[in-house]
């Protein structure tokens, strides 16, 4: 994968504005992950950039399934 081409497309989808952390709906960050094979790798993730204090918790973690209830 060519991340130089892919990341700007994903950034737009996730409303991540590289030059403006405050205006971005999500922030893109690199974090270490440990897949089932036990080998640690680094992955890009998008983290929600707003308060969730008064939002209901989605216990299943599946947003789409929660919306269909």
């Amino acid at each position: 994968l060519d991340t130089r081409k892919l990341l700007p497309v994903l950034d737009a989808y996730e409303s991540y504005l590289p030059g403006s952390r405050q205006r971005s709906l999500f922030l893109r960050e690199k974090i270490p992950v440990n897949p089932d094979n036990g080998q640690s790798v680094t992955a890009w993730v998008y983290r929600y950039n707003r308060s969730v204090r008064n939002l209901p918790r989605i216990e299943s973690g599946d947003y789409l399934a929660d919306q269909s209830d």
Side-chain angles (χ1 to χ4, degrees):
L1 291 173
D2 186 348
T3 56
R4 291 171 297 165
K5 291 181 181 177
L6 180 59
L7 286 176
V9 173
L10 294 173
D11 290 348
Y13 179 80
E14 298 291 355
S15 298
Y16 168 61
L17 307 169
S20 181
R21 290 179 62 88
Q22 295 231 335
R23 289 188 13 217
S24 294
L25 184 58
F26 287 83
L27 299 176
R28 178 168 37 94
E29 302 172 345
K30 277 187 175 180
I31 64 165
V33 295
N34 298 309
D36 290 339
N37 68 8
Q39 183 177 356
S40 183
V41 295
T42 301
W44 286 109
V45 297
Y46 288 89
R47 183 176 53 83
Y48 190 57
N49 191 31
R50 302 288 186 268
S51 173
V52 295
R53 180 168 293 156
N54 295 317
L55 298 177
R57 183 177 189 90
I58 300 172
E59 294 296 332
S60 69
D62 188 333
Y63 174 80
L64 293 178
D66 186 72
Q67 297 303 302
S68 66
D69 291 342

